[in-house]
Amino acid sequence: MAVIPPEAASPDAAGQGVGYRVEDGVAVVELRRPAAGNALDAALRSGLLAAVRRVAGDGDGEPVRAVLLTAKGRNFCVGQDLKEHAEALERDPASAFAVVRAEYNPLVEALHALPVPVVVAVEGACVGAGLGLALCADVRVASDGARFSTAFTGIGLAADSGLSLSLAQAVGPSRAAALMLLGDRFDAGDAQLWGLVHRVVPDGQAAAEGLALARRLAAGPTAAYGEVKSLLRYAAAGAGLSAVLEREAAAQERLGATDDHRGAVRSFLAKEKPSFEGR
């Protein structure tokens, strides 16, 4: 697949596309197709992948220590743009699903591979591939009015965007099976009860709360955060206890050599608040 240039992440003249800015060490990535519920068309998918790759490239010279994924308008993301999908089916049914391997899979893998913490802020609908994107984050904030659904079986499909794995990890295999088979909608209260979201806030405040958490993470020990993310992925892949213990020991040795750790120990002993530089 061709590499998408970073400029693809910029919104067009109508304000559509994917917004990208870095403030206080946080890369704010914003879906900007509100009139369509931020449905994922080709432009939005390519812009989002470009933004994630931009973060992975250290923000084009702007140090990125955390990411906030959010969206403009009343809905986070209603999933794949079905109008675009219907047109693809009309043109060539045999290749209509090539987009899953060519675009969705690289996007999900790129999000999961980010070494910095990723926070997602959800308002309104978070459905299908939109739910898959939200589950790529490490910390999820939802508004009271947020509503979620897997949605795929409602149109005769299974799942993509990694939902078969990420949803089961988030809520357990039994509940994930029911949610994917029945396609039932669930609200922010359910999502918090099941461990799918970290925090629920009043409507209209998810982005602000998400940014506050992302800033907090950006000011923290990001080298340690990267190791935490790596260890969690390794354990989730089915590693045994002995292998996990060895990975943890190696991570602690690496982190023990960082300025962040040594400085934090000195600050703790001096009863001072530590500061972290991510090294």
Side-chain angles (χ1 to χ4, degrees), residues 83-202:
K83 181 179 179 182
E84 179 190 77
H85 178 61
E87 291 170 352
L89 284 172
E90 283 291 321
R91 285 194 307 272
D92 184 5
S95 64
F97 288 91
V99 66
V100 175
R101 289 192 180 92
E103 297 182 38
Y104 281 105
N105 290 0
L107 173 57
V108 170
E109 289 177 338
L111 277 166
H112 275 285
L114 288 176
V116 297
V118 179
V119 179
V120 67
V122 176
E123 297 271 358
C126 181
V127 176
L131 179 57
L133 291 179
L135 289 175
C136 290
D138 304 299
V139 178
R140 289 173 285 278
V141 177
S143 70
D144 283 323
R147 55 197 188 278
F148 305 84
S149 176
T150 58
F152 287 99
T153 57
I155 53 172
L157 295 176
D160 57 39
S161 307
L163 266 179
S164 304
L165 175 64
S166 60
L167 187 61
Q169 288 178 337
V171 303
S174 178
R175 179 168 282 126
L179 291 172
M180 293 179 72
L181 291 169
L182 298 171
D184 289 343
R185 190 170 75 175
F186 55 99
D187 61 21
D190 290 330
Q192 186 175 38
L193 180 65
W194 300 339
L196 192 73
V197 301
H198 172 66
R199 190 167 295 175
V200 176
V201 297

Side-chain angles (χ1 to χ4, degrees), residues 243-268:
V244 170
L245 289 170
E246 177 54 35
R247 282 279 183 122
E248 288 177 340
Q252 297 293 55
E253 289 173 351
R254 287 191 293 271
L255 291 169
T258 63
D259 292 339
D260 277 356
H261 171 66
R262 293 174 181 178
V265 170
R266 288 193 296 269
S267 295
F268 178 81

